[in-house]
Every structure is written in structure tokens, then in C-alpha cells.
Amino acid sequence: MIIPTIPTPDELLDKGFRRGKKAADLVRTSKIPRHLKSKRIEEQRVVTSCQVIKDRIKMILDRVPDIESLPEFYQDYIDITVGIDKMKQSLGGLNWAYGIITQLEKDYASRIRKSPSEKASKLQKQVYGRIASVVNKIKKDLDFLDFAKASLRNMPTIDFEATTVVIAGFPNVGKSTLLRQITDAEPKVADYPFTTKGIQIGHLERNWKKIQIIDTPGLLDRPFLEMNDIELNAMVALEHLADTILFIIDSSETCGYPIESQYHLSKEIKRIFNIPMIYLFNKIDISINKNTDNDDGLLKKYFNEIDDYLLVSAYNGKGIDEIIAILEKVEKIKKE
Ligand SMILES: Nc1nc2c(ncn2[C@@H]2O[C@H](COP(=O)(O)OP(=O)(O)OP(=O)(O)O)[C@@H](O)[C@H]2O)c(=O)[nH]1
Ligand SMILES: [Mg+2]
């Protein structure tokens, strides 16, 4: 998200007052009749300072996109990451300052013009004090926007036209390993949970079809209200972006979580989002359930309940071609 560089109140005031002084100096050296000069100097100083400060504020207001006009995914992403209400409040603060400074500029330019020459400098000092107080009042808003700028720097760029497949599952089950296997993306892989903290995107091009594949942070099997912001990122991707979900179950349980909980989570996600789901039983290379196709395989009971599943190893590549063949057939769902 493009938020421009945000100045501190001091930077904003310094720039405004410095430019005001320059403009005043120009008037001072001009050929204006003496008896008018002191008033023109101060008027110019005030108007220029106000203009410069207002321009900077307006530039920020113009460049921050209107949040409500963004796709819902981005709105939710911004809400989880920094909070939409706080964002609006800060922009509201800047708008308020812009209005007050416009008013001060008009009032004081006219007062300086109408006042006796010897009062001009006093009025200029007065209005500078008031401008400084207005700008200092939006310090918290400027601080927040600066924080938002940093926090939203890595906001993912989504292709809303592409068919989108979202990889989901418990932490540490091999989601990022799979993304590495099937796309050119290189998300971090590690043997501990919660390695992936945000949304990672890879692309797969097959037979002129563009498929966007999204790796998400691991989810625990717990109620929505108990999820942390990292988990919510995954939920938001599932809700707004997924045409199909690749749900990974670590069949070896080396991720540290039992298959039963992983399976329960998959059913919850199915219930909440009602999006087509393909099950990938991963880490089949080390799974104790290697011969799961046999009746005595521990996974057998799950296979009776689900239609679409594959036994894979994201690590050694087993089943990857089958996954890609399935992905080629995924159709984009029209979301209203
Ligand atoms: N043996 C084996 N190990 C695997 C396989 N897939 C992933 N791993 C290992 O499992 C660990 C976790 O892999 P990641 O890809 O980081 O898992 P993740 O689901 O993205 O984890 P989070 O981002 O923390 O949710 C790593 O040590 C991987 O090398 C597999 O098919 N077989
Ligand atoms: Mg990961």
C-alpha cells in the first residue's frame, strides 16, 4: 500500500515557516512602496507558510487510497494489520488540520491587510503560534500514519483475475514447502511452527492458465474469536481469495499436532467458508501410515469421509505432478 512519507509536526512546521520566510524576503527586496511593505511581507509570510503546510497534508490525504473502495481482502488485511477505524481517525485528523489552517490563512491575511502597519508583525507571530498548535495536535495522527506505512509495506499484491488456490493447515505441516515445490516462490521453511507470519504468493502457469497459489500462516483448531492476527491473515485469504483450498494434513504428526485435530480444523473451515477443498496428506515419506491404502492404514477412516485426497511428500516430490494436474482443473469462482 502506497502511503507517502509522513513528516513529524516539527518537520511540517519547519518547512512551512522556512518557505514563509523565503517568500517574505522576496517581498522585502521588491519595489513595493514603503508604507505598504511591512504588511505585504507578513501577509506573504503567513499565506506561503499555510500553503506549504496544507499542500503537504493534502498530498498525504490524496495519496492514501480510499479504503472503502479497495477489494474486501485488502480492507480486512488493513483492518487486521493496523485497524481501519484508527486509520480513518488519523486521516480525519489531517483533514481537520487542513480545514483549520485554511481558515487561519484567510482570517489572518485579511486582518494583516486591514491592520495598521506596526501591528502586522504581531499578527504574524500570533497566527504562527496557532498554526503550530494545530499541527502539534495531529502529532498522534501523523505518528499513526507513519506506523501504518511501515506495517503495510509488505501488503501482498493480489491478482484478482487469476484462479486462486489457498494452501491451509496446521502450523509446521509443510505448507511453505509445498509452495516452493509447485511455484517459483521461496517462502521460508523451518522445522518449527509459525514460521510463516503473513501471506506468501507463488504463481503457476500451465497451458496458458495462470494460477495464483497462496501460502498462509498455520491455523490452530480453535474458535475464530481466539485467533491471533497471524491466524486471521490466513482466514481472510480463505474467505476472500480462495477458489479452492489445498488443505494439508501432516500424516506423520511430526508437526506436533495429532491428525484428528488437523482433520477437525479442515471440517470447520469447510463449514465456515463452503469452498471446494482438496486434502493433501503430507510427509508420506516418513509417515507411519505409509501403506495407508491398506485397510489397516490409520488414515483409512478419513478416506471414507472425503472425496478428494492425495498422499504426497512436499519434501521429496511424491504426488506433486498429481497436485498440479488437479490445480489445472480448478475454476475461478465468481464472488459477489
Ligand atoms: N519428511 C518430510 N518433511 C517435510 C515435508 N514437508 C515439509 N517437511 C518439513 O516440515 C517442516 C515444516 O515445513 P514448512 O513448509 O515450514 O511448514 P509450514 O506448514 O509452512 O509451517 P508454518 O509456516 O510454521 O505454518 C520443515 O522442517 C520441512 O522440511 C515432507 O513431505 N516430508
Ligand atoms: Mg510456512
Side-chain angles (χ1 to χ4, degrees), residues 74-117:
Y74 285 136
Q75 293 191 34
D76 281 356
Y77 184 91
I78 294 169
D79 204 20
I80 292 168
T81 314
V82 296
I84 284 188
D85 286 349
K86 283 197 202 148
M87 190 89 174
K88 281 191 187 158
Q89 238 173 44
S90 306
L91 294 170
L94 265 60
N95 229 336
W96 167 83
Y98 186 92
I100 301 282
I101 295 172
T102 305
Q103 202 57 47
L104 287 172
E105 177 188 349
K106 262 208 269 173
D107 282 2
Y108 275 81
S110 129
R111 282 172 71 177
I112 290 170
R113 250 179 277 132
K114 289 180 192 148
S115 73
S117 290

Side-chain angles (χ1 to χ4, degrees), residues 175-176 188 195-196 215-216:
K175 300 180 297 298
S176 302
K188 187 175 172 197
T195 306
T196 304
D215 172 27
T216 59

